[in-house]
Amino acid sequence: MTSFSDLPIRDDLRGRTPYGAPVAAVPVALNVNENTHPIPDDVVADVMASLEVELRKANRYPDREFAGLRAALAGYLGHGLDASNIWAANGSNEVLQQILQAFGGPGRTALGFAPTYSMYPLLASGTGTGWIAADRGPEFVLTAEHAAGWTNAKKPDVVILCAPNNPTGTPLGLDVVEAVYDATEGIVVVDEAYAEFMPDDAPSALTLLAGRERLIVSRTMSKAFAFAGVRLGYLAADPAVADALRLVRLPYHLSVLTQAAATAALRHADQMLGTVHDIVRQRDRISQRLTELGYAVHVSGSNFVLFGGVDDSHATFLALKDRGVLVRDPGIPNHLRVSAGTQQETTVFLDAIAGLGPGGARATRR
Ligand SMILES: *Cc1c(COP(=O)(O)O)cnc(C)c1O
């Protein structure tokens, strides 16, 4: 059997492991922070109608500038943004990859505050960008002073702030974004993949864009918007950022089908986001119940909860899987992460973990 390391692969990729959220066919999958509610029937019908129109034109390449989609995304975000401020790709992972291709690369570095999204170091390595893992403060909270201190000390070309942070759920103060921006001459990315789950009155980094041409706010339709399978991520920034990304994107990177599906779904944004309040309720229910069960629950502004106090996180992960519930072992000792599902899915998870006893003690007796 040939392993990829036997091939003439780049030295810096030899021996690395790919992104690997475990996949398993279980009744209750709460492991990758999807919106687990199905897409409403009338939205499906409208998306299908758009797809049919576009499919008839699919002998031609798609609109390389995806002008209609960018206008729709600008309209969704508001904050005085227009199509020229928007860029999009096949998931915000591709947006982040393009940012690192344009602003990182060989001889350059990107900095993030660990534990954070596991794709950042992988995207850095794929683009030949050096990855610097800075740390966080107590309870995973990032202060302006701490974050600016790391930025000053390391002088990275790109800083990625995850707000709220995955896998901890920790919200981020806008003062941190401002302080990091002032501490660097590089690009500052605020990854707001979970922004829609924050309280309605919590300000987004979108409010900081005016006058900050090196600031990028990244968003996705994969989480609150319940469109993970379509693959559509986007950013808002100065129009010059989109110009830079045009240098590295593949021509026609967004298919006619992706553009049509996303544009149609955005016409139903209120309906697509209609489940957000219930998901937030289930998240708070998880936090409360896990606290009652004796777990150390971390504050979450997202659609998932990170909890500590697990005796053996791998054994508990497996015991929950045996009971039909998939959660995430984020690699933080004695911690697990669970996404808030529907009320019924959340009940299945809470009953299963309660059944494992304090700290999941019964999980080790399989
Ligand atoms: C899920 C997630 C994304 C979204 O990725 P897509 O490629 O848009 O599906 C981006 N950033 C973070 C931190 C995430 O957790």
Side-chain angles (χ1 to χ4, degrees):
M1 267 275 286
T2 306
S3 113
F4 72 77
S5 289
D6 301 326
L7 300 172
I9 193 171
R10 274 162 41 186
D11 290 333
D12 60 324
L13 294 181
R14 206 176 292 278
R16 297 193 77 112
T17 39
Y19 173 81
V23 199
V26 293
V28 181
L30 301 176
N31 62 326
V32 285
N33 300 340
E34 295 148 331
N35 182 333
T36 65
H37 298 72
I39 295 167
D41 287 341
D42 55 330
V43 180
V44 171
D46 194 34
V47 170
M48 288 301 285
S50 286
L51 289 176
E52 185 178 351
V53 171
E54 292 306 315
L55 195 52
R56 290 182 197 285
K57 304 185 228 160
N59 57 311
R60 302 287 187 178
Y61 282 114
D63 173 8
R64 208 168 49 210
E65 288 297 313
F66 45 102
L69 175 57
R70 287 163 72 206
L73 289 166
Y76 168 68
L77 287 181
H79 290 93
L81 299 164
D82 66 34
S84 72
N85 298 109
I86 307 295
W87 185 253
N90 298 282
S92 50
N93 276 282
E94 188 178 73
V95 173
L96 293 167
Q97 182 179 50
Q98 292 175 346
I99 292 169
L100 290 176
Q101 284 177 311
F103 299 105
R108 291 186 165 216
T109 57
L111 181 146
F113 296 88
T116 191
Y117 186 38
S118 64
M119 275 307 298
Y120 300 151
L122 285 172
L123 292 166
S125 98
T127 57
T129 310
W131 175 251
I132 301 169
D135 64 358
R136 292 176 170 267
E139 273 296 300
F140 306 119
V141 172
L142 210 48
T143 65
E145 195 186 5
H146 180 88
W150 271 100
T151 306
N152 261 320
K154 297 293 182 181
K155 312 230 169 320
D157 299 282
V158 180
V159 178
I160 308 181
L161 298 165
C162 193
N165 185 51
N166 182 6
T168 63
T170 323
L172 184 82
L174 289 191
D175 59 322
V176 182
V177 180
E178 292 176 290
V180 167
Y181 190 87
D182 291 341
T184 178
E185 286 168 13
I187 294 288
V188 177
V189 182
V190 184
D191 182 350
E192 292 193 343
Y194 300 98
E196 289 93 344
F197 296 106
M198 288 288 289
D200 290 338
D201 57 356
S204 154
L206 293 170
T207 60
L208 300 179
L209 282 174
R212 291 186 178 85
E213 69 284 348
R214 294 176 289 106
L215 179 63
I216 299 174
V217 180
S218 165
R219 294 279 187 108
T220 181
M221 293 177 77
S222 294
K223 305 289 161 59
F225 217 88
F227 231 35
V230 172
R231 311 303 300 127
L232 201 289
Y234 55 104
L235 63 74
D238 190 279
V241 168
D243 287 340
L245 300 188
R246 283 187 182 87
L247 299 172
V248 297
R249 62 94 174 267
L250 297 173
Y252 315 108
H253 68 292
L254 283 178
S255 83
V256 283
L257 301 181
T258 303
Q259 293 184 40
T263 306
L266 284 160
R267 287 197 290 268
H268 305 272
D270 287 348
Q271 215 181 334
M272 292 296 276
L273 294 170
T275 55
V276 165
H277 284 295
D278 189 56
I279 294 167
V280 167
R281 257 198 305 278
Q282 299 310 318
R283 174 198 73 199
D284 293 342
R285 182 180 160 220
I286 292 171
S287 298
Q288 192 188 337
R289 182 77 182 118
L290 289 179
T291 302
E292 286 164 12
L293 291 171
Y295 290 100
V297 174
H298 299 280
V299 172
S300 175
S302 63
N303 66 337
F304 58 84
V305 175
L306 180 76
F307 56 101
V310 186
D311 293 348
D312 180 337
S313 27
H314 191 60
T316 299
F317 169 85
L318 291 175
L320 290 170
K321 191 166 154 223
D322 283 349
R323 287 158 178 77
V325 183
L326 201 57
V327 299
R328 190 67 172 276
D329 179 351
I332 304 169
N334 305 108
H335 282 70
L336 287 173
R337 190 195 74 188
V338 62
S339 316
T342 61
Q343 178 173 15
Q344 183 258 335
E345 289 169 326
T346 302
T347 300
V348 173
F349 161 71
L350 289 173
D351 289 351
I353 195 156
L356 295 177
R362 262 171 240 143
T364 45
R365 284 184 253 129
R366 298 182 75 221

